[in-house]
Amino acid sequence: SASLARMKLVSLLVASSLALDASALRVAGRAAGAPTPRAAAAMREFSTKVKITAETRAPLRQARIFFVYPSTIAGASIASYVALTRIIAGVGGFRTDTNPLADAGNLFVDVAVVAGAVWALRKDLKGRAELLEEVALELEGEPSARGERDEK
């Protein structure tokens, strides 16, 4: 009966590990610069001048979006996978040198880091889109305002 309960727990942990890995890969794929069609279309409509002006206002945003967040998500996802397999090995009785409680704490921290990086990435992407819109309005709005002054 105890071995049956262990087997059920191990199978449950393996299933949750696979689900966690699949969702982390989807998030990491999106974070690694695979833009959605809408995001790609939104990026194409801005001129180079608008993009450069937006970059000067938020200088390290592109570095965070394309390097810091994806590498953090990837690293914490790998660490969470390792922690989960250590928990499975410790609870399943496959290894006696692991401490499942400590590994559960590590898993919690790793998942929290992934969630935090995804949240920060989404916030940065939204901020970039808003800044591009703002800069585009400023740069396109100035010539029309000058034209109105000239007409008067």
Side-chain angles (χ1 to χ4, degrees):
S1 177
S3 64
L4 181 63
R6 272 189 187 165
M7 288 177 56
K8 285 183 179 180
L9 180 61
V10 168
S11 66
L12 177 66
L13 288 173
V14 168
S16 65
S17 169
L18 294 175
L20 175 67
D21 291 341
S23 65
L25 287 174
R26 277 194 307 271
V27 168
R30 281 184 279 178
T36 61
R38 183 189 311 167
M43 290 300 295
R44 276 187 243 120
E45 71 184 56
F46 297 111
S47 69
T48 304
K49 184 177 180 179
V50 170
K51 290 178 184 178
I52 290 173
T53 305
E55 181 67 21
T56 59
R57 292 186 186 176
L60 295 176
R61 179 173 279 157
Q62 291 298 105
R64 287 191 309 262
I65 289 172
F66 291 110
F67 176 71
V68 174
Y69 297 136
S71 60
T72 302
I73 291 168
S77 296
I78 292 169
S80 65
Y81 176 75
V82 169
L84 189 59
T85 57
R86 287 177 56 91
I87 291 170
I88 292 169
V91 171
F94 302 111
R95 289 183 64 178
T96 58
D97 62 334
T98 62
N99 182 357
L101 188 58
D103 291 329
N106 289 339
L107 178 64
F108 175 74
V109 168
D110 295 333
V111 170
V113 168
V114 169
V118 168
W119 175 81
L121 174 65
R122 291 177 56 113
K123 184 177 174 186
D124 243 354
L125 289 172
K126 183 178 178 185
R128 179 181 67 178
E130 290 172 356
L131 182 61
L132 285 169
E133 288 290 333
E134 178 183 319
V135 169
L137 286 175
E138 286 177 15
L139 293 178
E140 292 171 1
E142 290 179 8
S144 66
R146 288 183 198 141
E148 290 173 4
R149 287 185 209 142
D150 294 341
E151 291 174 5
K152 291 183 180 179

